[in-house]
Structures are given as C-alpha cells and as structure tokens.
Amino acid sequence: MPHVTLYALEEELAGRELSLVGELTNAVVSVYGEWARGSVDVRLIGIPAGRWARGGAVVDTAAPSVTFGMREEVFAREDAAGVVARLVAAFTDAVAAAFGDGCRDEVLVELVGQPTTRSGLGGKVISNGAGG
C-alpha cells in the first residue's frame, strides 16, 4: 500500500485538503497506473505556527514536503532511476497545483524504501508474499 504524507504549515494547509488528497493520489496513479488508486493512503499533517524551523530559527513560511513510503525493492529494479524521477516530478506538480507554482523550487520529496519484512499489517509482519 503506497503511503503519502504531506507536511505543511497548518494555516497554509487549511482549506486545501480535498484538492491535495486528489492531487497526491493522482501523482501515484500517474506513475503506477489506475490499479494503484484504491490503495493510496494519504496523510496531511498540519504543523502549527511556531513549530517549523530552519537554521535554528522558526519560519513564517515553508514549502510543503512530501514523504512517500514504498517497498525498498523498487530501488533495486532496472527502471528505478526513471520511477524515482517520475515520482519526484509528479509529487512536486501535485503540491504546486494545490499551493501555487511559487513553492515549486522549494518542495522537498523524500522517497523512503521500507523492507516488507520490517512492516506489519493487522498485527502480522508483512513478508514478500502473503502475510507471515
């Protein structure tokens, strides 16, 4: 199940939730195909004013950041560089569509590979096959 988490300052996030859910889901679908739509899990995390800092100082504005969790095996595939590039571009486009193009150059996208053997679902460790 693909997991997308977007972090943004709360006051900038408010009112953009529905648009972001659609844009971020569509970003995953644009890379993986329509079959992935039903399993995309989106989390929108609003950071209250005074709780986002850079360089040791609290900031008033910050471009949103996106973390995308996926199986680490994707990074070992022959087409990994292309998949990574498409995901980074698609998530950046999604954020810019919701927040405006002015933030595009500052959007951070992190792709995090997770071994299925170190994840769990429904109280069971996920293996490369079915549960286990």
Side-chain angles (χ1 to χ4, degrees):
M1 176 184 303
H3 297 279
V4 182
T5 305
L6 178 128
Y7 300 89
L9 290 169
E10 179 63 42
E11 71 179 44
E12 293 178 13
L13 177 60
R16 293 184 164 104
E17 295 88 351
L18 289 178
S19 172
L20 279 165
V21 167
E23 293 287 348
L24 294 169
T25 300
N26 288 338
V28 175
V29 170
S30 75
V31 174
Y32 287 103
E34 192 61 41
W35 67 267
R37 182 175 302 281
S39 51
V40 176
D41 185 41
V42 176
R43 298 176 191 125
L44 305 175
I45 310 291
I47 310 295
R51 293 196 180 168
W52 192 312
R54 184 172 295 118
V58 173
V59 295
D60 294 330
T61 62
S65 67
V66 176
T67 302
F68 181 60
M70 59 189 181
R71 293 188 348 227
E72 74 175 356
E73 294 86 16
V74 171
F75 295 116
R77 292 174 22 169
E78 215 172 277
D79 63 345
V83 170
V84 166
R86 290 193 322 267
L87 284 167
V88 168
F91 285 129
T92 302
D93 289 346
V95 171
F99 286 90
D101 211 45
C103 71
R104 178 180 295 279
D105 291 341
E106 306 258 334
V107 174
L108 172 65
V109 176
E110 298 174 289
L111 306 178
V112 180
Q114 181 65 39
T116 54
T117 57
R118 290 190 300 208
S119 297
L121 181 64
K124 296 179 184 177
V125 175
I126 301 170
S127 65
N128 286 331

